[in-house]
Amino acid sequence: RMNRETIHAALFARLSAVPGFVTASRRLKHWSDTPGGEQPALFQAHRTESVQPRHGLPSLVTLDFDLYLYAKAGDKSASPSSVMNPLLDAVTAALAPDNPINTAQTLGGTVAHCWIEGAIETDEGTLGDQAVAIVPVRILTS
């Protein structure tokens, strides 16, 4: 039986443990509402959920999340991407498979698989010294 809150909490626990973030929250804030002292910041937002019924078997449920990463360049001459790129690498590493047998990230056995899927939207400084990345994460629950 799927427990959505357990899944949301497991994903957030894994992501909030990623080093380098000053702020991590499940409540999305816009970068303009996240002062430089609260960045780098990571926000987890549940986007969609899809259900695929299966005759005689539990439905396959997929949850889609967006991770919003904000980072400011501390030095006006530095590129914001030099701050953002290591954060993206760390988030990617945190979602690498934790189960070597079936090569899946299971969030500690909470889900069947959790992975990054789709285009990672980035802005590496056209907003001045503010960098933003939106990372799409998909979770297969069973």
Side-chain angles (χ1 to χ4, degrees):
R1 182 170 168 250
M2 178 179 69
N3 184 312
R4 288 170 179 83
E5 181 54 27
T6 299
I7 294 167
H8 285 232
L11 176 60
F12 185 71
R14 176 162 294 278
L15 295 170
S16 61
V18 171
F21 290 106
V22 174
T23 301
S25 178
R26 287 176 51 186
R27 177 169 274 190
L28 179 60
K29 287 173 51 177
H30 192 271
W31 64 79
S32 63
D33 296 325
T34 310
E38 295 178 12
Q39 296 187 40
L42 169 112
F43 297 96
Q44 173 183 306
H46 183 197
R47 188 170 22 101
T48 62
E49 185 173 314
S50 62
V51 179
Q52 180 183 359
R54 301 183 300 171
H55 183 70
L57 296 170
S59 295
L60 287 178
V61 180
T62 304
L63 306 175
D64 291 305
F65 292 83
D66 282 331
L67 307 179
Y68 291 79
L69 282 61
Y70 306 151
K72 284 194 177 237
D75 177 356
K76 295 288 185 191
S77 65
S79 168
S81 64
S82 65
V83 179
M84 181 61 76
N85 287 334
L87 297 170
L88 285 168
D89 290 343
V91 166
T92 301
L95 296 178
D98 65 352
N99 184 327
I101 295 169
N102 65 7
T103 62
Q105 170 53 255
T106 65
L107 301 177
T110 306
V111 299
H113 191 29
C114 172
W115 68 100
I116 295 171
E117 181 178 298
I120 297 174
E121 297 179 44
T122 61
D123 177 298
E124 54 179 39
T126 53
L127 301 172
D129 63 347
Q130 179 69 63
V132 176
I134 305 171
V135 180
V137 172
R138 178 161 274 189
I139 293 177
L140 179 61
T141 62
S142 57

